[in-house]
Amino acid sequence: MRRWNGWGDATVDYPLPQSARSFVMDALGEGGTNEDAALESILDRLPPARIQAGNGINTDPVERLLHARGQSLPDWVAIRSGQIGRAPDGVGFPETTEHVREHLKRAAKKGVLLIPYGGGTSVVGHINPLESDAPVLTLDLRRMNRLLDLDEISRLARFQAGVTGPALERQLNAHGYTLGHFPQSWEFSTLGGWIATRSTGQQSYFYGRIEDLFAGGSLETPAGTLPLPPLPASAAGPDLRQATLGCEGRLGVITEAVVRICPMPEKEAFYGIFFRSWDGGAEAARSLAQSRVSVSMIRLSDPQETLTTLALAGKPGLIRSADVVLRWLGAGDGRCLMILGVSADQVKFSRIKSSALRVIRSCGGIPAGTLVGEHWRKSRFRSPYLRNTLWEQGYALDTLETAAPWSSVPALRQAILESLDLAFQGKAIPLLRFSHLSHVYPDGASIYVTFLYPRLDDPAETLAVWKTAKHAASEAIVAKRGTISHQHGLGIDHLPYLPAEKGSLGMTMLQAIATALDPKGIMNPGKGWGS
């Protein structure tokens, strides 16, 4: 059963070992103690639905609440405090493309606003109904989850777009294939959601980002159906698939998607590599990317994230022993951890691993075997549950992400961290923040920043602190010419900073596309680039 006021399956927990709890308390002090709102009290305050049930529409209060918010920190503050604001007036559960078309026709006729909904994992406000005089219908696409066609000659698979990561992989794995797209939200997010937000999987270095995997499909819009043929290449004008990628529900509903697949790897392993400094680790990451060594993942944590990762693992004895060895090898307090993934057939595996380790050693890397890497692999989709545990112990957590050319990465990362430091110093609130390079390219890398702070007694104050920090970090990203979003899309939270990246003429072009496909503005208004 889905957790109604937090992340994931309600039966899954991520308890913190005592050593990990002590680490957090040493860094941040006591957490906030205000209690969460009860489900019944929130349902009692939910406004009446402005849509009639029927025609595939459910107006049950619990369903409306479950579709009211995503997984951003503002969403958590809202739902945990019971101040959720607007909820959808109804929820539709289409099972076919024809069902989606019927909902679109009725909505256009009756002036209903539509919000496409995949797994509800957005962290920037994509699925939140905004205040409006018009009723709002959320379309939950997760019943559209079937593999429709498998072209093994072309290695193309056509899916209904509501399929979640595990369901997609099960259907492909049965035939010996994989998509290889594994974002942290993989267990709950959907193929359509990945396309709509230009998602990036943890092993995108090898398999590609979703724009590399998305070959075509179909977009149902208020103006009609937009077919997207899965052509390997075309010089017939602009590629309309690019408008669909990152559309964030503003243009219509992605109902089907054709994706490029590949055979499942025969062997896969993840290795821990330690570097004596951040500069050495970043140099290794850049060298690996620019030498085109075909590893499947390169992830580099800064010293604070390295320390925090090891502390939260809850194995103090093992960590003390490792610390002694690493210090003897010259990796002291500034040490940084890289997780390196290799996924290949039996013949290529050893060659790829050897090539990667040769580059890593040339940059001062210290290979540490598979113990740390295997721990990361086992917890890669479980770690989001840590947000539930930390919240319940009184701490709020959020993340930021961007990308920039290699020449800009050091200054941009430092500017983001310093902007957070200043924001929290101004509020006199303790802060724990750390970063990693989560995706690398020959010409640049993404920077992913996590920050934690104690919840305040007043939820509005907890949110105010976040707003100050988020704005400061976003301004730092814009000033250093990073992208405002590398993998999470725009939603509500990133939208104010988009003009700095696209320019006024670019914004006019994007608005024109939205107007052409959604002339009445009924599709997810106020979100994404078409707003």
Side-chain angles (χ1 to χ4, degrees), residues 442-516:
D443 55 341
S446 69
I447 305 167
Y448 196 97
V449 176
T450 302
F451 63 98
L452 297 81
Y453 62 100
R455 290 194 287 119
L456 305 178
D457 291 338
D458 183 352
E461 283 298 310
T462 298
L463 183 59
V465 170
W466 173 86
K467 287 181 177 178
T468 299
K470 177 73 172 181
H471 177 69
S474 298
E475 288 288 318
I477 289 170
V478 169
K480 294 293 184 181
R481 297 183 180 275
T483 179
I484 196 60
S485 178
H486 170 261
Q487 64 204 59
H488 289 150
L490 296 165
I492 299 169
D493 299 341
H494 293 155
L495 189 56
Y497 310 97
L498 183 62
E501 185 168 330
K502 301 299 184 187
S504 59
L505 186 56
M507 295 299 293
T508 299
M509 290 175 62
L510 295 175
Q511 184 59 59
I513 295 171
T515 300

Side-chain angles (χ1 to χ4, degrees), residues 117-119 141 161-163 189-199 210 254:
Y117 183 103
L141 301 170
V163 63
S189 54
T190 65
L191 175 57
W194 300 339
I195 295 166
T197 58
R198 297 186 78 103
S199 169
I210 196 64
I254 301 166

